[in-house]
Amino acid sequence: MAIEGSLPFYKPLIAREEIAQLVEAVESGWLTTGPKTLEFEAAIARYVGSHFAVGVNSCTAAMHLALVAMGIGPGDVVLTSPITFPATANVIEHCGARPVFIDVEPDTLLLDAAALEAFLADPERQGVDAETVKAIIPVHFAGQPCDMDQIFALASQYGMAVIEDSAHALGAEFEGRKVGSDYGLGFQGPWASCFSFYATKNITAGEGGMLTTNDAELVDQVAVLRLHGISRDAWKRYQVASYQHYEVLFPGYKYNMFDLQAALALPQLAHIDDWQQRRETYTELYNQGFSAIEGLQPLQVKPNRRSSYHLYVVMVDSAQLGVSRDELLNRLAAEGIGVGVHFRSLTVQKFYREKYGFHHGDFPVAERASDQVLSLPLYPAMRESDVERVIHTVWKVLGV
Ligand SMILES: Cc1ncc(COP(=O)(O)O)c(C=O)c1O
């Protein structure tokens, strides 16, 4: 039960403009994939600087379709980060492939490019046949891009496809280029970037996702796969004067974005830069507010990146603070502050731990992070006074 006057972990900013667009879409009589989806796809491609964008019903769907379209299947290995939402590894399992986790950097919790390089130099040492390593899913955790320079270079060298999990990272930049573009890095292999418009994301459709790429062939495949694998989607079928039969090209999926989602999310794009700025300002306020507390460590942002500031994550060092992360979570919740945990390592989750026989100590950085990460409220609907309240409450419950 919510405590009166509590500050939720997340609350979206849905203005009259978004509601008006939604009503207009409903009144148009076209409710499923159609003109609003096309408009939203074009707007996202323009915003991130990609040649193409394909709307789907989640980031999970975007990643799954990218893997399928790139031919990933049984016997293949896909590398990824253990500090992520389960969807990132689940989609690899859905293809019948095997996820292999690479540990993260301690200060950013992003996939560690040096550990990746070491793995690729000798995968057999970890029981992986080099021939089977087909793709990598780097996760732009909390909105900070991974080292894409290094990841593309290693993907080129070892012949891997790259599917970016950009669920957190709409608006983020690597070396001045937006996540969702090719960063001007000239990667020649198969590549796609996958975004989420889930309820808590920087812009939201309630649920929704988008795949961006510069690869026309990949886009055509994904567009067919997202709607049952049939040759022309409903929108196109109803546009012509005479009835057109469709062909089933592949037993595809029911993953299409529909116009009500696009109508809700599209007008939010006009605010994204302003909202990102507010997220950054609040992040700085939090960082200043906690700088004197030994044992509360915020994530670091590297100098060649701009985060989307999707999450505010601090690492709670229980040895220094005398309080565990879970105890701090409970104390904050009891004071009416919404909190989250992003994320406990997938290597400690029952399914992955048991299936792949992981042991304590296999992923030391991710395992430590699992016990230390704590997310505090960060969203543009908050006011500065809300941020100050959270800082004050953290000090109070820690008794420092
Ligand atoms: C890192 C990460 N990847 C993927 C997803 C899946 O996104 P969606 O809910 O749009 O499928 C999420 C969802 O929160 C996420 O946090």
Side-chain angles (χ1 to χ4, degrees):
M1 203 176 67
I3 298 171
E4 206 180 324
S6 63
L7 180 70
F9 180 68
Y10 185 72
K11 195 162 165 246
L13 260 181
I14 306 284
R16 287 197 181 282
E17 171 64 11
E18 282 87 285
I19 295 166
Q21 293 252 3
L22 196 54
V23 170
E24 191 190 305
V26 173
E27 287 178 348
S28 78
W30 190 269
L31 304 183
T32 184
T33 310
K36 280 282 172 208
T37 304
L38 289 175
E39 204 183 328
F40 187 41
E41 288 172 342
I44 289 287
R46 234 182 355 261
Y47 178 72
V48 302
S50 65
H51 294 181
F52 307 105
V54 191
V56 285
N57 61 12
S58 68
C59 177
T60 309
M63 293 191 290
H64 186 197
L65 292 185
L67 288 167
V68 172
M70 291 176 189
I72 306 298
D76 294 338
V77 161
V78 180
L79 309 179
T80 193
S81 164
I83 296 291
T84 186
F85 190 64
T88 319
N90 289 352
V91 292
I92 302 170
E93 294 284 338
H94 294 163
C95 295
R98 172 182 166 196
V100 168
F101 298 100
I102 305 290
D103 211 349
V104 292
E105 301 170 334
D107 54 347
T108 63
L109 303 186
L110 297 173
L111 191 144
D112 185 334
L116 173 65
E117 192 168 7
F119 170 85
L120 288 167
D122 189 7
E124 276 79 11
R125 201 164 62 91
Q126 303 213 24
V128 175
D129 176 357
E131 293 291 304
T132 62
V133 180
K134 297 287 171 57
I136 180 164
I137 309 185
V139 180
H140 303 315
F141 173 68
Q144 175 171 198
C146 296
D147 186 341
M148 291 311 297
D149 218 351
Q150 277 266 36
I151 287 170
F152 277 147
L154 290 166
S156 293
Q157 188 181 343
Y158 290 95
M160 292 187 295
V162 178
I163 298 161
E164 294 171 65
D165 181 339
S166 309
H168 296 179
L170 188 66
E173 292 174 14
F174 180 77
E175 292 180 346
R177 303 278 191 111
K178 286 232 156 50
V179 169
S181 72
D182 67 357
Y183 310 100
L185 292 170
F187 178 62
Q188 298 295 313
W191 155 79
S193 191
C194 302
F195 294 95
S196 173
F197 306 111
Y198 175 69
T200 58
K201 296 299 185 277
N202 287 24
I203 71 170
T204 180
E207 299 280 356
M210 189 80 73
L211 178 148
T212 67
T213 184
N214 290 350
D215 182 337
E217 214 174 299
L218 181 71
V219 160
D220 285 347
Q221 278 175 290
V222 168
V224 167
L225 287 170
R226 77 175 158 173
L227 198 65
H228 306 295
I230 60 180
S231 55
R232 41 177 70 237
D233 57 38
W235 173 241
K236 290 192 190 125
R237 265 188 286 136
Y238 288 105
Q239 290 310 293
V240 290
S242 60
Y243 186 83
Q244 304 256 317
H245 291 292
Y246 57 77
E247 276 307 323
V248 180
L249 306 175
F250 183 88
Y253 305 88
K254 175 64 181 167
Y255 279 172
N256 55 308
M257 171 176 276
F258 65 107
D259 272 21
L260 303 191
Q261 293 170 304
L264 184 61
L266 180 60
Q268 294 171 46
L269 257 187
H271 305 291
I272 188 168
D273 294 334
D274 176 39
W275 289 350
Q276 189 174 348
Q277 186 57 54
R278 220 177 299 174
R279 288 170 176 276
E280 183 170 6
T281 303
Y282 293 167
T283 296
E284 282 163 7
L285 281 177
Y286 274 138
N287 286 349
Q288 282 161 20
F290 301 138
S291 62
I293 306 179
E294 299 248 347
L296 271 194
Q297 188 61 48
L299 295 178
Q300 304 298 305
V301 178
K302 304 270 173 167
N304 61 347
R305 330 259 169 109
R306 171 137 204 256
S307 178
S308 69
Y309 296 96
H310 175 56
L311 295 171
Y312 186 80
V313 175
V314 276
M315 282 175 280
V316 179
D317 185 334
S318 57
Q320 280 193 47
L321 285 169
V323 174
S324 71
R325 186 271 315 277
D326 287 351
E327 176 59 23
L328 182 53
L329 274 176
N330 289 331
R331 288 185 193 175
L332 288 169
E335 293 282 336
I337 304 292
V339 281
V341 172
H342 301 89
F343 294 98
R344 284 165 61 227
S345 174
L346 292 184
T347 59
V348 304
Q349 296 284 359
K350 181 176 163 53
F351 173 81
Y352 289 102
R353 188 184 69 233
E354 291 180 358
K355 179 164 181 182
Y356 295 109
F358 296 132
H359 295 105
H360 182 71
D362 287 347
F363 299 90
V365 184
E367 288 166 24
R368 192 168 64 245
S370 303
D371 296 332
Q372 292 194 335
V373 285
L374 166 66
S375 304
L376 295 172
L378 179 69
Y379 45 94
M382 290 169 75
R383 290 160 302 182
E384 257 185 52
S385 57
D386 294 320
V387 180
E388 281 155 13
R389 173 180 165 193
V390 177
I391 295 169
H392 173 81
T393 311
V394 168
W395 279 81
K396 179 177 146 192
V397 300
L398 284 175
V400 285

